[in-house]
Amino acid sequence: MNQKEKTSYKNSHIDEFELINEIKSLTKTKHKENIKGIDDDAAISKYGDKYLAISTDIFTEGIHFDLTYTPLKHLGYKCVVANISDITAMNVLPKNILISLAVSSKMNKEHVMDFYKGVFLACENYNLDLIGGDTSSSLTGFTVSVTIFGDKKNKNQLVYRNTAKEGDIIFVTGDFGAAYLGLQILEREKKIFLEHPESQPNLNNYDYVVGRQLKPEARTDIVDFFKKNKITPTSMIDVSDGLSSEILHICKSSNVGCDIHLKKIPIHEESIKVSQELGIDEITCALNGGEDYELVFTANPKHLNILLNQGFSSIGVIKNKKDGCNMILENNDKTELKSMGWSNKL
């Protein structure tokens, strides 16, 4: 249900996860330094006394963003933040990025530099160095590729998707659904503008949800929190494709089940108001909206109190695989947890 959904369903014929799994099955690791490869938020390789985390993403105009309502400065910031979120999900702080662009003929140098203003702002805010990249022309639209690097000295503090254990508590940072609702507001205003070009966009009272869509922030703060409090999550993943999708990734990778309590999923009060205005169920937005760039992590129950006191939300528990992946409804009935957001079609 995120930006990618709008143009992906029409002519999709390749399932992203099926393709990744097939590529993974054909991949043979030749170098012992490569510890974690395909099928996590980042790859991990050992160099000297450090463990290097590397992640990359590609953003395509018309699929991941719409320049009708996305300022280029905001786009540059968001592309960096999305990659920071991947590295953070490994319990690693990022240090360096590479950015490559394919620029269409409708853009000039000023447009590209507006994009880089956002990049440089993100680098400043997150203590990153831009160390290189590439540029090319494009016949189809603006495309951005970002590769990000970070490192960790202690191997035992690295966190993966596939290490959740039965009995672990499921926690989340922040709140969910706002970015998707912000997208709906922007799409609504775009439609009005196309029908009435003389009109001005009405974004009053939508600061929070629109901000979460156009200028998200990555949760690097919790890496510092874990280090300070000597806590290492048992698994972690960033929320880019939707909360339900990411929880299911952890469960599948870790070969476990889960119970998720819907009433415990944090939703911002403005998101609730906007969802009611648009006639969309706020829980559906929270579970399936995507682009929140919050984190889902599991932890030993002994850390419950300190994590709750820090403001993280406990939304469920890891179960045995045979118990399945379930949503616990308001009346305590169970229903299967399903991913209904971004279809992961190419």
Side-chain angles (χ1 to χ4, degrees):
M1 292 173 65
N2 58 23
Q3 175 70 28
K4 295 177 281 190
E5 177 190 51
K6 299 188 303 170
T7 54
S8 297
Y9 289 148
K10 293 181 181 178
N11 51 18
S12 301
H13 60 280
I14 301 175
D15 184 280
E16 179 186 8
F17 295 132
E18 288 180 3
L19 178 62
I20 290 171
N21 287 333
E22 185 164 348
I23 293 170
K24 182 182 176 182
S25 70
L26 298 172
T27 301
K28 296 180 180 180
T29 302
K30 302 177 183 65
H31 305 286
K32 63 181 181 180
E33 294 87 358
N34 295 321
I35 296 169
K36 173 65 79 170
I38 297 172
D39 202 24
D40 214 309
D41 285 286
I44 302 291
S45 296
K46 188 176 188 297
Y47 284 91
D49 63 346
K50 292 184 179 181
Y51 294 87
L52 183 66
I54 312 163
S55 184
T56 188
D57 269 316
I58 193 165
F59 306 89
T60 306
E61 183 178 355
I63 301 295
H64 302 92
F65 59 88
D66 187 333
L67 291 180
T68 304
Y69 50 71
T70 306
L72 284 161
K73 181 177 179 180
H74 285 71
L75 178 62
Y77 194 91
K78 184 174 181 178
C79 287
V80 175
V81 164
N83 279 261
I84 293 173
S85 188
D86 282 329
I87 290 289
T88 303
M90 312 301 288
N91 201 28
V92 175
L93 291 176
K95 290 185 177 180
N96 303 307
I97 58 169
L98 301 167
I99 294 183
S100 296
L101 306 179
V103 184
S104 67
S105 59
K106 66 182 179 182
M107 299 179 69
N108 56 36
K109 185 177 75 171
E110 286 71 25
H111 292 137
V112 176
M113 292 314 298
D114 280 344
F115 171 86
Y116 271 103
K117 287 177 183 177
V119 169
F120 293 137
L121 179 59
C123 288
E124 181 67 24
N125 288 349
Y126 290 94
N127 195 30
L128 277 171
D129 288 337
L130 174 64
I131 59 172
D134 193 16
T135 57
S136 174
S137 59
S138 169
L139 298 176
T140 55
F142 190 41
T143 298
V144 182
S145 176
V146 182
T147 301
I148 192 163
F149 305 84
D151 61 61
K152 201 91 170 178
K153 282 192 174 182
N154 189 339
K155 180 182 180 181
N156 294 328
Q157 292 176 353
L158 294 167
V159 181
Y160 305 121
R161 298 179 183 180
N162 65 344
T163 43
K165 301 176 181 65
E166 184 178 350
D168 287 344
I169 307 298
I170 302 171
F171 293 91
V172 294
T173 65
D175 57 83
F176 296 86
Y180 173 72
L181 288 163
L183 176 63
Q184 302 315 300
I185 294 298
L186 292 168
E187 283 289 311
R188 183 185 71 180
E189 295 306 308
K190 175 186 174 181
K191 182 178 180 181
I192 293 172
F193 174 75
L194 292 176
E195 294 174 352
H196 305 283
E198 74 284 356
S199 66
Q200 293 295 316
N202 176 21
L203 299 179
N204 295 330
N205 303 316
Y206 304 117
D207 289 350
Y208 185 74
V209 296
V210 170
R212 291 278 281 176
Q213 169 60 218
L214 293 181
K215 191 177 177 291
E217 301 292 350
R219 296 305 304 264
T220 54
D221 57 304
I222 79 162
V223 177
D224 292 326
F225 168 80
F226 289 145
K227 181 178 180 180
K228 179 180 178 181
N229 290 277
K230 298 180 180 179
I231 295 173
T232 300
T234 54
S235 69
M236 189 154 56
I237 191 171
D238 92 309
V239 182
S240 55
D241 293 333
L243 179 58
S244 60
S245 174
E246 312 302 2
I247 292 172
L248 289 171
H249 280 319
I250 285 179
C251 289
K252 182 178 179 180
S253 297
S254 300
N255 202 32
V256 295
C258 69
D259 281 350
I260 302 298
H261 295 266
L262 295 191
K263 65 181 179 181
K264 293 185 177 181
I265 296 173
I267 303 174
H268 194 274
E269 59 182 0
E270 184 178 307
S271 298
I272 295 174
K273 291 179 182 178
V274 175
S275 66
Q276 292 172 345
E277 176 186 337
L278 297 176
I280 306 173
D281 178 63
E282 66 267 21
I283 289 293
T284 300
C285 296
L287 283 173
N288 304 309
E291 294 193 303
D292 296 298
Y293 299 113
E294 295 291 346
L295 297 170
V296 180
F297 64 94
T298 58
N300 189 295
K302 69 181 181 181
H303 300 306
L304 177 63
N305 289 335
I306 188 173
L307 291 169
L308 291 178
N309 289 337
Q310 180 65 19
F312 302 125
S313 300
S314 166
I315 66 168
V317 63
I318 295 295
K319 308 280 282 188
N320 191 284
K321 182 180 180 180
K322 64 180 175 57
D323 294 323
C325 296
N326 307 294
M327 296 186 293
I328 310 301
L329 307 179
E330 294 278 350
N331 59 3
N332 289 324
D333 284 347
K334 284 188 178 183
T335 186
E336 183 182 359
L337 178 66
K338 295 181 178 180
S339 173
M340 300 175 64
W342 164 230
S343 69
N344 302 300
K345 298 286 187 177
L346 301 179

